[in-house]
Amino acid sequence: MPIVRAKTHIEVYAARAASADIHELNGRGKNRAATVMIMDDITKRLELQDPDLAVLDVGCGDGSLLRMLGRGVGVVPTTVEIDRLRAAHAGTPIEFVQGFAQQLPFSPESFDRVVMHGVIPILPTAADAEMAIREAVRVARPGGLIWIGSVPDKDESAYYGRTYDDSILGYLTYVLKNHGMRTAIQALLQVLSSIWSREPYVIQPKELFICPPSSFSQLVERHNLRIVWQGRLPVLAASGEKRESPTRFNYILQRA
Ligand SMILES: C[S@@+](CC[C@H](N)C(=O)[O-])C[C@H]1O[C@@H](n2cnc3c(N)ncnc32)[C@H](O)[C@@H]1O
């Protein structure tokens, strides 16, 4: 597949469904260890091991969280992702449903836990983010918990000095300056291999929904949600060391 310049984040994940490695559906490249760490954190904080809890994972990526639990329902927006997920999780009780965070295809009060990790920031507008929160509240049972994770509190391009926009050369120069020769060579090989293989190389839209904690608390209060916990997103450094993201927050919200 050639280089894909995606106009929306939905196009990003539809293109990634053609990747050889299904983990690309999580948006963390090859960093599978980071996904495991994050899903483990969500599982513990929401006590998802309890088999009596009905769990919904909206924007479930490659289904890592649900695979860890061995059950639950995952939502992704495109049929190409659904096909990939159903094939990868065949023979498990995990269900995958095509749908959008802004309009979930479930009856009210269907789930004890609703997880939306890395989804709110990639919705196209602030109004979409608000619709997604309203929908999470609608499908959660009274007293149920909602996880909204990886919400940026600042402009990450400015924070990290990523000024290359859609330029691949600019991107490679940025990687070389900030992550060293080894990572830059890996990035270059990834770009080159996508030109002659079926592996998509996706250039994503840069806009993210940015919501600092003070604005986030106002937003969720409008939906009668109580913040029961908030903390910085855990990230893994190249050395494998666990750190806190300087730009992203996780939240646990309780429905009244
Ligand atoms: C950054 S990935 C996060 C995947 C997974 N939750 C994780 O953290 O590993 C974003 C996910 O949101 C999904 N997504 C994008 N737009 C969506 C929408 N409008 N409604 C529901 N899911 C959406 C993508 O298909 C993808 O699964």
Side-chain angles (χ1 to χ4, degrees), residues 131-207:
M131 280 162 76
I133 291 171
R134 187 179 304 129
E135 280 293 88
V137 173
R138 184 182 66 77
V139 302
R141 293 187 178 135
L145 298 179
I146 298 171
W147 174 279
I148 296 191
S150 200
V151 182
D153 73 329
K154 54 176 75 72
D155 179 344
E156 293 183 328
S157 295
Y159 183 83
Y160 291 110
R162 295 187 201 125
T163 52
Y164 49 82
D165 278 330
D166 277 1
S167 154
I168 291 178
L169 189 60
Y171 162 68
L172 294 172
T173 311
Y174 166 85
V175 175
L176 180 62
K177 273 195 200 144
N178 292 278
H179 301 283
M181 181 62 84
R182 198 173 152 190
T183 315
I185 290 172
Q186 281 169 355
L188 175 64
L189 289 177
Q190 203 188 347
V191 172
L192 291 177
S193 75
S194 73
I195 294 168
W196 61 74
S197 77
R198 288 170 53 85
E199 195 61 23
Y201 182 84
V202 185
I203 299 175
Q204 308 188 47
K206 299 292 175 292
E207 302 75 35

Side-chain angles (χ1 to χ4, degrees), residues 10 13 26 28 39 59 61 77 81 100-102 117-119 122-123:
I10 290 190
Y13 289 93
N26 295 310
R28 288 183 203 94
M39 299 311 152
E81 290 163 278
F100 298 92
Q102 303 94 316
H117 191 84
V119 180
I122 62 171
L123 296 178

Side-chain angles (χ1 to χ4, degrees), residues 93-110:
I94 303 167
E95 238 186 282
F96 294 100
V97 179
Q98 190 268 327
F100 298 92
Q102 303 94 316
Q103 195 177 3
L104 291 170
F106 305 107
S107 309
E109 302 186 2
S110 299

Side-chain angles (χ1 to χ4, degrees), residues 8-14 16 23-28 34-36 38-39 42 57-65 75-78 81 85 99-104 115-124 128 132 147 149-150 204 233 248:
T8 67
H9 286 280
I10 290 190
E11 284 177 21
V12 169
Y13 289 93
R16 285 185 179 155
H23 185 260
E24 290 289 338
L25 288 178
N26 295 310
R28 288 183 203 94
T35 298
V36 171
I38 290 166
M39 299 311 152
I42 297 174
D57 188 1
V58 180
C60 65
D62 72 347
S64 283
L65 175 69
V75 168
V76 282
T78 65
E81 290 163 278
L85 286 166
F100 298 92
Q102 303 94 316
Q103 195 177 3
L104 291 170
V115 176
M116 261 198 279
H117 191 84
V119 180
I120 288 282
I122 62 171
L123 296 178
D128 288 275
W147 174 279
S150 200
Q204 308 188 47
L233 169 76
R248 296 207 183 199

Side-chain angles (χ1 to χ4, degrees), residues 240-256:
E241 188 196 339
K242 187 173 164 181
R243 296 197 185 141
E244 288 188 337
S245 165
T247 60
R248 296 207 183 199
F249 281 85
N250 290 336
Y251 300 89
I252 299 177
L253 313 163
Q254 188 162 35
R255 184 195 190 281

